[in-house]
Amino acid sequence: MLELLQEDKKGGGIVTDETFYKDKYLLKREAVIDTASFPFWEREASQEVRKYTLDNIDEHEPIPEVVQLCICAVAEHLYKCDKQESETGNVISEKDGSWSATYETAKQSEDNKQAKIAKIIFKWLGSTGLLYRGMR
């Protein structure tokens, strides 16, 4: 099933929306991304997907459901990473007795985030041909 969404006149285009996120991606489960934040994280996730697909998604055509599902998954990951960074900083583990903490560098954090993004994108789009980097 394909869903057509209105193009955003500010650029980049809307690839999915909150209704799709809640109804099709989450299947009515509780949303991770709040309503006010969704447009921002959708835009950030869409840009990550564009980067991996080398802009192979024609946003003037109906956007395939699998692409929208992928963008929702990436958006949730980006949202969770941002929330974790703001809540715990770069602490990745703590010990209580004779307190100790292990910290992650900004580069390690970004590398881990990007690796997970790649994994999500390959999960959803790996068999679609959208990640093809050869000659057409």
Side-chain angles (χ1 to χ4, degrees), residues 11 19 32 39 59-60 79 96 117:
T19 300
V32 172
E59 294 177 26
H60 299 319
Y79 178 83
D96 198 359
I117 289 169

Side-chain angles (χ1 to χ4, degrees), residues 21-124:
Y21 169 64
K22 289 180 176 177
D23 293 347
K24 302 282 178 121
Y25 177 74
L26 293 174
L27 300 173
K28 307 280 186 187
R29 290 178 299 149
E30 187 175 341
V32 172
I33 305 171
D34 61 86
T35 298
S37 299
F38 186 82
F40 174 79
W41 294 110
E42 182 275 339
R43 185 187 69 207
E44 294 296 304
S46 295
Q47 190 56 38
E48 291 292 336
V49 171
R50 284 185 195 98
K51 181 173 68 176
Y52 278 86
T53 62
L54 302 176
D55 284 324
N56 283 333
I57 300 167
D58 184 353
E59 294 177 26
H60 299 319
E61 296 293 324
I63 304 298
E65 185 174 280
V66 69
V67 172
Q68 293 183 63
L69 292 166
C70 179
I71 288 168
C72 290
V74 173
E76 274 197 353
H77 172 64
L78 292 171
Y79 178 83
K80 288 175 184 176
C81 287
D82 184 69
K83 190 173 181 180
Q84 181 180 4
E85 287 171 14
S86 66
E87 289 175 356
T88 64
N90 57 352
V91 175
I92 57 174
S93 70
E94 291 184 71
K95 182 179 172 186
D96 198 359
S98 293
W99 188 86
S100 107
T102 304
Y103 294 90
E104 181 175 60
T105 67
K107 181 174 179 356
Q108 288 171 320
S109 177
E110 185 62 25
D111 289 350
N112 290 337
K113 180 168 64 174
Q114 289 300 319
K116 178 70 173 184
I117 289 169
K119 187 175 180 179
I120 292 167
I121 291 172
F122 286 113
K123 172 188 172 183
W124 288 100

